Amino acid sequence: MAPAQELPPETEAEPLGDAADKSRVTVVGSGNWGSVAAKLIASNTLRLPSFHDEVRMWVFEEILPSGEKLTDVINSTNENVKYLPGIKLGNNVVADPDLENAVKDANMLVFVTPHQFMEGICKRLVGKVKEGMEAISLIKGMEVKMEGPCMISSLISEQLGINCCVLMGANIANEIAVEKFSEATVGYRENRDIAEKWVQLFSTSYFMVSPVQDVEGVELCGTLKNVVAIAAGFVDGLEMGNNTKAAIMRIGLREMKAFSKLLFPSVKDTTFFESCGVADLITTCLGGRNRKVAEAFAKNGGKRSFDELEAEMLQGQKLQGVSTARELYEVLSHRGWLELFPLFATVHEISTGRLPPSAIVEYSEHKPNFSLVQGSAQYC
Ligand SMILES: NC(=O)c1ccc[n+]([C@@H]2O[C@H](COP(=O)([O-])OP(=O)(O)OC[C@H]3O[C@@H](n4cnc5c(N)ncnc54)[C@H](O)[C@@H]3O)[C@@H](O)[C@H]2O)c1
């Protein structure tokens, strides 16, 4: 049962100003979670006087089997028929296929695309966003560069010169779409007022959001748990049972925490107990798309590739865990940390066919020794 939740006050956070003082929100991305995020936000911009009602949503244009453009269909039916069929987004959501046009009047940007597209999107937005723009990333994943791993919020901040918070949590989009109760965590750097504004924009009676001053910890939780979910899927595909899955989740959580703290010593232990931490790990290992496709991979004895299974099972939605495992593996090999993170390393080796799916439980003799690693890592 959803606990009764007090919504953030409408008038205390910001006084009712004239139209010029109101914030305008654009959602960059329109997949499964992007569409649900637009729905949550649109219900709040109508309710809260400090926001303009309209929410722009940038849509990567696609032609549907009917021959119609996805944006036209979203704007005429108020539904994202491809990525979130059957759910009304709110009449104040306007789909826009032109990225520059979609962001030009906004002063709050919500980034929610699969992570592999973000570098290209940021390049297109350089010099195109308003001064004082605030951003939030709902994206799980990282970019690996020569200098080291780069979290998506840092990529956004550095390329666009803007502050960027993150929102992560136990949030399987289809469940939030039908208004089942869940929680999420907003990670922020310094400005608590901005964090509160994001909390206000996302919170509803069925979506409870809490702020935490730990951007890297929150973002790494959201990113790394997808790799553990792939491992959980292998266990399910091999029908190893609940004890084994719980063990994999525990080992995965330990590696998530150790990796996050090696990379960013400022990451807080308490972050792993927020919705973005253990709760997201549990829901993703029980129900997410990474688990589901990894289960099919293991059932097929690793003979059908993840690319093939993704195309067949996800209808255009993207897997994040396999690419994150590859990126993580690059970081681990580059730093000589492979033996410290046997679960993460094994997930990549199974995904690429170097090891059979059964190898997921065959590495326990390697006892990670984090004291071997000197100092903290470099990152962008
Ligand atoms: N779906 C969930 O339950 C969920 C929950 C929490 C977080 N997330 C995260 O949210 C992010 C977005 O996921 P999603 O579920 O909204 O997307 P999705 O996987 O459902 O859809 C893929 C999206 O990518 C777009 N796309 C395809 N090619 C593109 C290109 N070349 N350039 C730009 N966009 C392109 C598609 O149009 C579509 O909007 C991911 O980082 C994901 O990990 C998802």
Side-chain angles (χ1 to χ4, degrees):
M1 191 195 70
Q5 190 205 347
E6 231 176 78
L7 290 179
E10 295 180 15
T11 47
E12 276 175 20
E14 262 191 64
L16 226 178
D18 51 23
D21 296 331
K22 294 186 176 204
S23 299
R24 274 187 194 277
V25 186
T26 290
V27 178
V28 177
S30 55
N32 190 228
W33 184 218
S35 303
V36 176
K39 173 184 187 270
L40 286 169
I41 293 168
S43 70
N44 280 328
T45 56
L46 286 182
R47 191 177 69 81
L48 298 167
S50 49
F51 295 92
H52 279 278
D53 289 356
E54 183 185 287
V55 176
R56 288 252 146 194
M57 179 171 78
W58 173 64
V59 176
F60 178 77
E61 190 65 285
E62 294 179 50
I63 305 298
L64 298 171
S66 61
E68 295 165 290
K69 289 180 177 165
L70 179 58
T71 37
D72 291 343
V73 175
I74 295 175
N75 286 331
S76 61
T77 63
N78 196 232
E79 229 179 275
N80 187 339
V81 289
K82 175 151 184 196
Y83 293 100
L84 192 64
I87 303 291
K88 295 291 176 198
L89 301 179
N91 289 331
N92 50 330
V93 174
V94 177
D96 189 338
D98 179 337
L99 181 61
E100 284 180 33
N101 191 58
V103 306
K104 78 175 184 341
D105 295 324
N107 45 10
M108 294 180 81
L109 289 184
V110 178
F111 287 98
V112 55
T113 69
H115 76 279
Q116 57 269 39
F117 304 129
M118 271 312 292
E119 190 150 24
I121 289 173
C122 283
K123 281 193 179 130
R124 288 171 62 190
L125 289 180
V126 172
K128 307 278 168 38
V129 298
K130 276 190 175 170
E131 208 169 305
M133 175 74 86
E134 287 291 336
I136 195 164
S137 169
L138 278 51
I139 299 167
K140 295 175 172 172
M142 60 171 93
E143 290 277 318
V144 177
K145 304 180 167 206
M146 289 294 281
E147 323 82 80
C150 182
M151 301 313 295
I152 300 298
S153 65
S154 306
L155 182 82
I156 294 167
S157 282
E158 286 168 19
Q159 295 217 2
L160 304 182
I162 60 180
N163 182 45
C164 189
C165 293
V166 296
L167 181 143
M168 309 275 146
N171 300 146
I172 291 183
N174 288 333
E175 295 178 18
I176 300 165
V178 292
E179 308 192 358
K180 292 183 177 168
F181 176 76
S182 67
E183 297 179 305
T185 315
V186 162
Y188 69 99
R189 219 168 278 289
E190 275 144 27
N191 190 336
R192 172 87 186 195
D193 289 345
I194 294 298
E196 294 289 357
K197 194 158 179 180
W198 288 118
V199 167
Q200 198 184 29
L201 187 64
F202 279 94
S203 294
T204 67
S205 56
Y206 59 91
F207 193 64
M208 204 160 112
V209 188
S210 313
V212 164
Q213 191 175 12
D214 184 5
V215 171
E216 286 84 12
V218 173
E219 193 168 7
L220 275 160
C221 278
T223 297
L224 298 174
K225 58 93 203 193
N226 280 335
V227 179
V228 187
I230 299 281
F234 294 152
V235 166
D236 284 347
L238 296 170
E239 298 179 11
M240 289 176 164
N242 292 332
N243 292 342
T244 308
K245 191 147 127 184
I248 290 294
M249 287 160 71
R250 189 198 69 81
I251 296 165
L253 184 60
R254 186 181 64 182
E255 292 194 12
M256 284 167 59
K257 182 167 158 244
F259 181 81
S260 304
K261 290 177 85 94
L262 273 178
L263 218 49
F264 296 96
S266 63
V267 165
K268 297 174 181 165
D269 285 353
T270 48
T271 300
F272 295 87
F273 294 96
E274 298 289 341
S275 177
C276 63
V278 68
D280 194 9
L281 179 73
I282 293 170
T283 197
T284 315
C285 289
L286 297 184
R289 64 176 86 148
N290 289 285
R291 188 217 62 81
K292 183 168 125 183
V293 179
E295 179 183 36
F297 179 90
K299 275 202 168 120
N300 283 286
K303 292 195 180 69
R304 297 186 65 202
S305 73
F306 269 100
D307 283 347
E308 196 184 338
L309 291 167
E310 177 187 63
E312 183 181 297
M313 298 174 71
L314 297 184
Q315 287 91 39
Q317 294 188 345
K318 299 287 175 203
L319 267 189
Q320 300 295 307
V322 174
S323 51
T324 303
R326 186 188 61 240
E327 288 150 358
L328 199 51
Y329 196 88
E330 277 181 49
V331 178
L332 299 180
S333 5
H334 183 70
R335 296 187 192 283
W337 292 351
L338 276 174
E339 294 217 338
L340 301 178
F341 296 95
L343 180 76
F344 287 164
T346 304
V347 167
H348 176 67
E349 287 176 348
I350 296 172
S351 310
T352 49
R354 270 183 254 155
L355 288 175
S358 57
I360 199 62
V361 289
E362 287 167 10
Y363 58 78
S364 53
E365 71 275 15
H366 302 292
K367 283 265 185 293
N369 180 357
F370 298 109
S371 62
L372 287 175
V373 180
Q374 302 294 316
S376 69
Q378 284 198 322
Y379 43 86
C380 78

